[in-house]
Amino acid sequence: KMKIEIAQLSLIEGEIESNFQKVVQTIKNKKTGTELIIFPETTLSGFPTIENISKVAQSIDSEKIQKIQQLAVEQKVSIVIGFAENDNNQYFNSSILINSDGKILLRYRKTHLWTSDIGVFTPGDSFSVCEWNGLRVGLLICYDIEFPECGRALSSLGVDLVIVSDGLMDPYVVVHDRALTARSMENHFYSILSNRCGKGDNDLVFCGGSQVINPFGDTIFHLDNNEIISQFEFQLDLISSSKKDYNYIKERRIKLEPQKITFSQNNNCLVINDETKQLEIRTNK
């Protein structure tokens, strides 16, 4: 069994220190037995704009990311957190998985930009997975889950658990319920989604609804729209049985290329070729 905490937080756009302190307190106050804490999309900054992205974006080795890594070690907990990433003045909507040794195991850059992301962020171009606590884990961010190709790309890499940092707002409350149910069922993986709640700029209201879904597409945990840090315990034991009567990966007739990928210590990832719109294998040496 695995115990997780979903940090469904109300955040303030552009207020790095306020949001960061919420993150710090959440990690310091983790509940007994928690192995993984999941935060929403762009937790540290809220949603940036063209005007403030250069001020609020963090490099992956910034002081605040390093502090979160340190807290992971001190509290003996793994962390998934979304943030606006600055990579040599190129900006990405990113999330990272930090293990309890403080190591960044996985970084993902949002590949499908929502309307308000366009012009602020550069889209990511790859999907990859890592080994964490005996599981193959992949990351997605918000709008990504509305595209079947994203779930299938991670499935092609042998993913067991997909973790989604979300920033979904009203009136789209049911969209990610439906999308993540479909992605989990059609790819036979578990999924965890951590969404924002509360008010944002421009009269936006973030709708919460953080959840856990099993490989049959059953929602086994679901929060309402209030600010809450909630622990949930579940067992990831249904992946094989979800393929017993029907195996969508094996029985599909329209293949996502490449059809077969050899996984070895997170060396392989799928990369989007912008010219062909195809996924290609890239091996990181």
Side-chain angles (χ1 to χ4, degrees):
K1 290 187 176 182
M2 179 173 68
K3 286 185 179 180
I4 64 165
E5 282 183 48
I6 294 178
Q8 183 170 285
L9 301 179
S10 176
L11 304 168
I12 303 174
E13 318 298 0
E15 295 291 334
I16 292 280
E17 289 304 324
S18 173
N19 296 332
F20 180 66
Q21 287 307 312
K22 275 195 174 185
V23 170
V24 169
Q25 292 307 309
T26 298
I27 298 169
K28 285 185 174 180
N29 296 329
K30 82 171 183 72
K31 298 174 176 61
T32 301
T34 294
E35 299 171 60
L36 175 67
I37 304 173
I38 304 108
F39 290 92
E41 180 179 12
T42 58
T43 297
L44 297 183
S45 63
F47 283 108
T49 63
I50 294 174
E51 289 74 26
N52 72 2
I53 182 65
S54 63
K55 297 178 182 178
V56 301
Q58 308 285 311
S59 66
I60 200 165
D61 59 355
S62 67
E63 181 179 332
K64 285 182 168 52
I65 297 297
Q66 289 184 29
K67 177 62 176 179
I68 294 169
Q69 291 175 267
Q70 178 186 336
L71 288 168
V73 175
E74 292 174 359
Q75 299 299 318
K76 298 180 176 61
V77 69
S78 297
I79 297 162
V80 170
I81 188 164
F83 69 108
E85 181 190 358
N86 183 347
D87 185 0
N88 294 317
N89 295 318
Q90 192 172 21
Y91 305 109
F92 298 91
N93 187 334
S94 299
S95 63
I96 51 176
L97 168 58
I98 303 168
N99 71 5
S100 57
D101 293 325
K103 181 180 178 181
I104 296 176
L105 296 183
L106 189 61
R107 172 179 59 187
Y108 172 72
R109 292 169 168 172
K110 188 176 184 180
T111 53
H112 294 79
L113 300 184
W114 177 247
T115 303
S116 58
D117 292 326
I118 296 171
V120 179
F121 294 115
T122 298
D125 68 352
S126 64
F127 302 91
S128 57
V129 298
C130 70
E131 294 280 354
W132 175 81
N133 287 18
L135 299 168
R136 289 182 184 175
V137 177
L139 304 176
L140 293 176
I141 299 173
C142 197
Y143 194 39
D144 288 324
I145 68 172
E146 297 179 40
F147 296 86
E149 295 85 356
C150 295
R152 190 51 51 87
L154 290 177
S155 176
S156 296
L157 291 165
V159 77
D160 301 310
L161 172 65
V162 173
I163 300 170
V164 183
S165 294
D166 206 4
L168 185 68
M169 70 290 288
D170 289 335
Y172 308 109
V173 58
V174 300
V175 173
H176 285 184
D177 291 350
R178 294 168 178 166
L180 199 57
T181 295
R183 301 296 84 79
S184 301
M185 181 177 174
E186 70 197 5
N187 293 293
H188 307 283
F189 57 57
Y190 282 86
S191 56
I192 304 170
L193 180 147
S194 179
N195 193 25
R196 280 180 67 171
C197 62
K199 294 183 178 180
D201 285 352
N202 302 316
D203 298 321
L204 292 178
V205 178
F206 294 93
C207 53
S210 301
Q211 57 193 287
V212 180
I213 300 175
N214 72 22
F216 286 100
D218 300 320
T219 301
I220 56 176
F221 179 75
H222 198 286
L223 295 175
D224 59 19
N225 62 352
N226 297 317
E227 184 170 43
I228 187 171
I229 300 161
S230 186
Q231 187 186 63
F232 179 65
E233 182 177 21
F234 65 108
Q235 192 161 333
L236 288 85
D237 60 350
L238 297 179
I239 294 174
S240 294
S241 59
S242 73
K243 302 175 184 177
K244 182 180 178 182
D245 295 326
Y246 47 86
N247 187 328
Y248 294 123
I249 306 301
K250 182 180 178 181
E251 295 167 5
R252 61 197 164 125
R253 295 182 64 197
I254 302 171
K255 303 290 187 181
L256 173 70
E257 299 294 345
Q259 297 178 27
K260 185 176 182 181
I261 293 170
T262 301
F263 179 89
S264 176
Q265 298 181 347
N266 197 30
N267 286 331
N268 291 330
C269 65
L270 294 177
V271 180
I272 300 170
N273 183 320
D274 280 330
E275 292 184 4
T276 65
K277 305 299 181 184
Q278 298 295 313
L279 287 169
E280 301 174 351
I281 299 176
R282 176 186 295 169
T283 300
N284 299 321
K285 300 294 185 183

